[in-house]
Each structure stands twice: as structure tokens, then as C-alpha cells.
Amino acid sequence: MKYNFDEIVTRRGTGCVKWDEMPSDDVIPLWVADMDFKAAPAIQEAIRKRAEHGVFAYTLVEEPYYEAVISWFKRRHQWTIRREEILYTTGVVPGMSVAIKALTMPGEKVLILSPDYNCFFSSIRNNGCEVLESVLELSSRSGGARGWVVNWQDFESKCADEKTTVFLLCNPHNPTGRVWTKEELARMNDICMKYGVKVVSDEIHCELVMPGHTFQPFAAVNEACRQNCVILNSPSKSFNTAGLQTANIICAQPEWRRRLDRAININEVCDLNAFGPVALMAAYNESEDWIDELNQYLWGNYQALCQYAEEHLPEWKVRPMEGTYLPWVDITATGLSSQAYADQLLKEAKVWVNPGTMYGAQSGEGYIRLNIACPRALLMEALERIHNA
């Protein structure tokens, strides 16, 4: 490999949420979704050059920024984005709140596929709406793997609720790791359009896709999807630049864009920091080989996890991970609740994981979520601790 993902980077003591929120120095954090790898060299160099200028005033987002976004998605995902469709903001979660504010009225329902990213719940409720959950089901798919699928009858019944106005999709899906197929996305949209439900698709994990799977942008499925969606994306998750707070909202509908732009300003998430645009351009213009190698390394970590669990942690069932770097692990055989098991791992093994109930009080019970985006030696040390404890 050209890039060294085995390098151990000391992050404790750098004001890092992942490592510094827990004051104990002996805890290995496999919880919040950021990576323990340095950003791609091109990103580091772009930030270094910008920092050398020495002035960090209000930032003007110029045409090369938009050109980088358009070129990346056209080249990598065969998705043609028009310049006028792009609105920038400070992050995908702020963008999510913007979309909900722009497209709903308080008291309406927003549909999600549960278990789902925990910020979906808070963003919906913070905007005065009600969370409506359609629970994913385990099913044997190709190769006999037990993966997550939509309960289409339940999904349609939830869309048919007259109070449901938005479907908030996670594509690829966090925490189950599903990478939705073109056929699944088209079917979701067909049902949504039948009942006048708009789609907001969080695609922040779009570059984190494992071998044998292909990310499909929702807006590029067909013209009907393009006209019925708002897309949220950012290089932050894939290129480990979340602290630079840059994301994009992409929408083909002019009237929706007007409302989105207004909500961006109402929520006051309309200004980017000086380093965000240069990092995005370096990521999309110069770091494609880095992301390809990263995915290979993450796949190796996932395989190592599965092998170790099979040999040493028989009470674990590691579910298929098609995308993200966040394996979803069934721990029902332990006899403990998700929260109790996570607490036990933190106390006895000094390993910090997320209890599944963060992602759905009912649908996430019996699961934990791991973050394996770290050097393999650190992952194996964490697994050894769990086994020994």
C-alpha cells in the first residue's frame, strides 16, 4: 500500500471528542464515528498552505469548490449535479435539521428505517416533528448472509399516514451497514411519491463501501428520484475531516432550494471556516487513491474482527458490513441488555462501544456498534481486552 494506515497516531490530549471525552488514559474508544488515521497527504498539504497565509477571516466559497464537488460525483458515481443545485453548510447534521425545517411543519411525521443514526431522532424532534419508525428486518440474501432489508408492507403503511411528509434515509445505512441497491432506492421513492412524501437522503458514508458493493446516489437512480429528494453529503466521514465542518445540500427542485436556503440562514449555518473548502477540494481532486486504499484497509479490519469473534467471542454475531466502518454486532447470547453490556465492556475491558439502543430503543436492543476505523493493532488489542474480560 502507498499509505500507512497502521501508523499509531496519538490523539489523546488534542481536544479530541473520541479520545479526550473519557478522562481515563487506559480506555480504547471504539465509539464515535471518526477515524484514527491521518487525513490524506493532499489534504494536509492544502491546509498547511492555507494556514501559512496567516489570515483566517470570513470565507468566500468560490467556483473551484463547486467544480470539485461536481467532478467527483460525476467521475466516481456517474451522478451529474448542476451547479445551481448545490448549497453549502457546516455539516450533514445541521443540513438535516435545515431540510426538516424547510420541508415539514411542526407536528408532522418524519419516517426513518430503524435502527437508525441517533441524530435522526434528535433532529426530527428538535424541529417539532414526530419520529415514525419502520423497523428493518433480518433476511437471508445472496450467499446466505443474514442482512437487513426493508419491510415493504410496513414502509408503505407508514408512508400512507397522512401526517407523514418526509422520509429521512441513511444511504449507506448507519448502523446496520447496508448499502442500498438501485432497485431498493427506486422502490422507496415509488412508494414515497405515491403518498406525497419527500425524501431526504443522508449520504455522508457514500465513499465507505466494501468489496462487492456499489454506492448508488439516490438522486441518480432515475429522474423521479432526482425530483423528489434532498441529498446531504460531505467528505468529512470518508476523509476524516469532520472538525473542518463542511457539507453540501443538493436539491434539483428550485422551490425546495429556496426554502432550504432560507432555513440555512434561519439556523445560522451559512458560513464555512477557512480550511473547509480547501480540504474538500484536496479530497475530491487529489485523494481518490487514498480513499480506495482506505476501503481495502477497513475491509481487512472487518475480516479480522469476524475471524477473531468466531474463534474467541462465540456469543457475538457480527452482521454483514456492506458499507461504513461501523460493524453492527448481535450480543443477545450474552443475556445482557445493550446498555449493560456496553457498560461492562467499559468497566472491565476498558473498551468504549455504543449500545444499540442509541439507534432505536426497541430495534437496537441486543446490539452494539463498533468503530473499526483504527490501526489494526489497536483493534486487535481492544478485542483481546474484551476476550480476556
Side-chain angles (χ1 to χ4, degrees):
M1 277 191 170
K2 179 180 177 182
Y3 303 103
N4 181 17
F5 295 103
D6 287 319
E7 179 185 358
I8 303 292
V9 181
T10 300
R11 300 186 65 195
R12 199 176 294 282
T14 62
C16 163
V17 169
K18 184 178 183 179
W19 285 83
D20 289 333
E21 188 163 309
M22 177 63 63
S24 176
D25 288 342
D26 58 352
V27 170
I28 297 178
L30 301 182
W31 66 297
V32 68
D34 72 13
M35 300 190 284
D36 291 321
F37 309 124
K38 288 182 179 179
I43 297 174
Q44 295 182 52
E45 181 60 21
I47 291 174
R48 187 178 298 113
K49 286 182 178 179
R50 179 65 185 86
E52 287 173 355
H53 182 263
V55 179
F56 314 114
Y58 296 116
T59 299
L60 177 65
V61 178
E62 299 181 287
E63 285 308 308
Y65 174 97
Y66 298 99
E67 291 166 4
V69 174
I70 292 166
S71 175
W72 176 267
F73 285 99
K74 177 66 173 178
R75 183 175 74 251
R76 194 165 177 92
H77 301 297
Q78 296 73 57
W79 175 22
T80 300
I81 302 171
R82 298 182 178 93
R83 161 66 178 82
E84 65 271 14
E85 295 176 350
I86 304 172
L87 301 169
Y88 59 80
T89 186
T90 56
V92 162
V93 172
M96 188 186 311
S97 288
V98 161
I100 295 169
K101 182 183 291 292
L103 301 179
T104 68
M105 294 290 289
E108 293 179 344
K109 296 179 181 180
V110 176
L111 176 62
I112 66 171
L113 296 174
S114 181
D116 221 332
Y117 177 41
N118 52 298
C119 286
F120 278 23
F121 294 86
S122 56
S123 289
I124 293 167
R125 291 169 180 149
N126 288 345
N127 284 281
C129 292
E130 181 181 339
V131 178
L132 187 60
E133 299 177 56
S134 181
V135 178
L136 295 170
E137 296 181 333
L138 271 173
S139 175
S140 294
R141 299 198 313 283
S142 58
R146 294 281 288 174
W148 298 92
V149 295
V150 177
N151 178 332
W152 294 108
Q153 182 176 0
D154 181 71
F155 182 82
E156 181 161 2
S157 72
K158 299 291 172 58
C159 285
D161 186 327
E162 63 180 10
K163 291 184 69 178
T164 303
T165 53
V166 164
F167 166 44
L168 184 54
L169 171 65
C170 199
N171 174 37
H173 192 261
N174 171 17
T176 68
R178 271 304 314 276
V179 174
W180 304 112
T181 66
K182 187 174 184 178
E183 292 72 24
E184 287 173 312
L185 296 173
R187 188 172 181 182
M188 291 174 191
N189 191 59
D190 287 345
I191 295 170
C192 285
M193 291 193 72
K194 180 179 178 181
Y195 297 101
V197 176
K198 302 175 182 69
V199 179
V200 176
S201 185
D202 170 1
E203 301 186 352
I204 196 171
H205 293 275
C206 65
E207 309 307 336
L208 300 165
V209 177
M210 299 301 102
H213 300 278
T214 302
F215 166 70
Q216 172 63 56
F218 189 92
V221 171
N222 54 43
E223 185 61 20
C225 287
R226 178 175 170 271
Q227 293 296 331
N228 192 47
C229 74
V230 173
I231 304 298
L232 312 173
N233 62 36
S234 170
S236 63
K237 198 67 64 178
S238 304
F239 291 95
N240 207 28
T241 58
L244 301 182
Q245 298 181 318
T246 301
N248 294 298
I249 303 172
I250 300 170
C251 178
Q253 286 275 12
E255 174 56 22
W256 296 6
R257 275 203 313 277
R258 185 192 65 78
R259 291 156 61 182
L260 290 162
D261 188 50
R262 179 62 181 150
I264 287 171
N265 285 275
I266 291 171
N267 285 7
E268 297 178 339
V269 287
C270 49
D271 294 314
L272 303 186
N273 75 60
F275 299 103
V278 296
L280 178 144
M281 289 185 284
Y284 286 166
N285 293 339
E286 304 177 66
S287 305
E288 193 159 0
D289 61 339
W290 185 91
I291 199 72
D292 290 336
E293 285 197 13
L294 170 69
N295 280 328
Q296 292 178 40
Y297 192 86
L298 294 174
W299 179 244
N301 274 4
Y302 175 72
Q303 291 176 307
L305 165 67
C306 291
Q307 182 177 347
Y308 190 92
E310 184 177 353
E311 295 175 0
H312 302 290
L313 298 167
E315 68 274 20
W316 280 20
K317 293 180 182 177
V318 183
R319 297 301 182 191
M321 188 183 78
E322 300 173 358
T324 79
Y325 49 70
L326 304 166
W328 190 233
V329 181
D330 185 336
I331 50 91
T332 53
T334 66
L336 296 173
S337 70
S338 295
Q339 187 64 59
Y341 190 65
D343 290 344
Q344 182 176 332
L345 292 186
L346 183 58
K347 179 181 179 182
E348 299 181 12
K350 302 297 183 181
V351 176
W352 191 357
V353 303
N354 291 123
T357 44
M358 284 183 62
Y359 311 99
Q362 301 300 321
S363 58
E365 185 57 86
Y367 286 85
I368 57 171
R369 193 192 77 168
L370 306 179
N371 177 350
I372 61 170
C374 61
R376 196 158 300 148
L378 190 64
L379 173 63
M380 299 316 293
E381 180 184 347
L383 294 174
E384 288 282 353
R385 288 187 183 190
I386 293 168
H387 172 57
N388 292 336

